[in-house]
């Protein structure tokens, strides 16, 4: 289980600064996923134990369970099912059993988000593809929160 003393150097970590409030970041991560990540969203992500599935076309999906929510501070998802059906990947289910942690910190004029994907590291076959995806969609999250219009995967 995740705690603040867990060492993250072997896991994908990204920190971004967004010109918005921690409350709006938290709301985007719990209630507005289709507006910045993918329009192909099913389920609910608003309370602990909710389950949701995101899709990127017919060949890529991830099903996650909300493990922990601390308003305006932290969101944790556990990946229960995943398929990245790309021909270049031998192991297309590597996300299963990984954990996605969003730490939200209000600063004076902005909010810092630290994304830690526990289980996504350099030895994982999809690392380059998946870390590129994180960069793309955290960029969309930042754009959505700062301008009102993200760039999610579209149906």
């Amino acid at each position: 289980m995740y705690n603040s003393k867990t060492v993250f150097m072997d896991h994908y970590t990204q920190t971004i600064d967004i010109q918005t409030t921690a409350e709006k970041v938290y709301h985007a991560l719990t209630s507005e996923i289709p507006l910045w990540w993918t329009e192909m969203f099913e389920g609910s992500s608003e309370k602990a134990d909710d389950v949701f599935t995101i899709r990127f076309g017919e060949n890529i999906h991830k099903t996650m369970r909300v493990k922990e929510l601390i308003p305006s501070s932290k969101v944790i998802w556990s990946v229960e099912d995943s398929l990245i059906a790309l021909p270049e990947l031998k192991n297309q289910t590597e996300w299963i059993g990984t954990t996605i942690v969003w730490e939200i910190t209000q600063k004076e004029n902005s909010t810092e988000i630290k994304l830690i994907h526990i289980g996504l590291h350099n030895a994982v076959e999809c690392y380059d593809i998946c870390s590129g995806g994180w960069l793309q969609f955290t960029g969309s999250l930042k754009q959505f929160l700062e301008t009102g219009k993200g760039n999610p995967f579209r149906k």
Side-chain angles (χ1 to χ4, degrees):
M1 187 48 125
Y2 166 82
N3 69 53
S4 61
K5 296 190 190 315
T6 303
V7 177
F8 296 115
M9 59 189 202
D10 292 337
H11 304 287
Y12 178 82
T13 303
Q14 180 189 359
T15 303
I16 56 176
D17 198 58
I18 300 180
Q19 301 301 310
T20 193
T21 65
E23 183 180 340
K24 287 182 180 175
V25 170
Y26 180 82
H27 187 70
L29 293 172
T30 57
S31 303
E32 300 174 320
I33 293 170
L35 300 176
W36 62 269
W37 201 356
T38 175
E39 291 180 347
M40 300 177 77
F41 175 92
E42 304 158 12
S44 180
S45 54
E46 296 183 18
K47 59 185 188 314
D49 226 29
D50 277 357
V51 176
F52 65 96
T53 300
I54 55 170
R55 296 182 187 282
F56 302 87
E58 303 211 358
N59 298 321
I60 300 173
H61 75 266
K62 291 124 176 53
T63 299
M64 296 180 241
R65 181 175 301 275
V66 178
K67 295 305 277 183
E68 184 177 349
L69 295 174
I70 301 172
S72 302
S73 180
K74 188 181 294 177
V75 173
I76 301 178
W77 302 324
S78 174
V79 181
E80 294 189 343
D81 188 31
S82 174
L83 179 68
I84 305 171
L86 299 174
E88 62 267 33
L89 296 179
K90 290 184 188 98
N91 184 349
Q92 300 180 346
T93 60
E94 291 178 302
W95 276 44
I96 296 173
T98 65
T99 301
I100 299 162
V101 179
W102 301 89
E103 294 179 342
I104 306 162
T105 305
Q106 181 71 57
K107 296 188 161 188
E108 190 173 328
N109 296 313
S110 64
T111 300
E112 180 183 278
I113 302 174
K114 184 172 186 180
L115 164 64
I116 306 124
H117 190 157
I118 300 169
L120 180 62
H121 49 76
N122 287 331
V124 173
E125 187 183 9
C126 82
Y127 184 81
D128 289 340
I129 294 167
C130 294
S131 60
W134 275 128
L135 287 172
Q136 177 183 349
F137 293 113
T138 55
S140 175
L141 173 62
K142 178 177 172 70
Q143 181 182 343
F144 170 67
L145 286 165
E146 291 183 345
T147 71
K149 184 163 175 32
N151 190 23
F153 179 86
R154 304 207 189 281
K155 296 179 190 178

